[in-house]
Amino acid sequence: QVQLVESGGGLVQAGGPLRLSCAASFRTFSTYSMGWSRQAPGKEREVIAAITWRGSNTYYADSVNGRFTISRDNAKNMVYLQMNSLEPEDTANYYCTADYNIVLLTRNSGAYWGQGTQVTVSS
């Protein structure tokens, strides 16, 4: 059974940083690609970042490229999203995702999703 639990969300001022964490409960974590998606009220779910199982390849949406960094620690079954220069437009519920195939993650079609953590950026 795959379980993903996000943490680290909260309220932050525009321009500030925030780091999200995702704890994965499955043994084969190191063989999965991992990702982050977000959804703001009234908007479609948006893929923002993904990383392959070894961390050798990453994907970023244009909206966050250069500001957000995805990383993983396979020894700890953790994936992280470092968010810098946050903007009010980044306000959303952020979800951790997992799939063997990173392409599916980039299409918002990952097999597994966490419950989400809310990020609110004040202007």
Side-chain angles (χ1 to χ4, degrees):
Q1 183 180 357
V2 174
Q3 187 174 12
L4 303 172
V5 179
E6 302 92 339
S7 61
L11 176 63
V12 62
Q13 286 192 331
L18 200 63
R19 188 195 198 202
L20 303 183
S21 299
C22 172
S25 66
F26 50 105
R27 287 187 178 183
T28 56
F29 172 81
S30 63
T31 65
Y32 276 73
S33 291
M34 301 295 296
W36 290 92
S37 293
R38 68 185 181 186
Q39 187 167 24
K43 294 188 178 181
E44 292 187 356
R45 196 167 284 186
E46 175 190 17
V47 179
I48 55 174
I51 187 168
T52 50
W53 64 274
R54 198 159 45 181
S56 54
N57 294 96
T58 55
Y59 163 86
Y60 294 98
D62 289 343
S63 57
V64 305
N65 196 19
R67 299 188 298 122
F68 291 11
T69 302
I70 187 171
S71 61
R72 64 188 296 161
D73 185 337
N74 286 345
K76 296 181 178 179
N77 278 26
M78 296 290 295
V79 62
Y80 306 98
L81 185 68
Q82 178 66 46
M83 305 185 293
N84 297 327
S85 303
L86 282 162
E87 304 167 354
E89 293 73 24
D90 296 316
T91 296
N93 203 14
Y94 284 70
Y95 298 91
C96 179
T97 62
D99 200 286
Y100 281 121
N101 189 338
I102 192 172
V103 173
L104 294 180
L105 294 179
T106 65
R107 295 174 180 174
N108 256 334
S109 298
Y112 303 103
W113 292 71
Q115 293 299 308
T117 186
Q118 177 67 34
V119 172
T120 302
V121 184
S122 63
S123 57

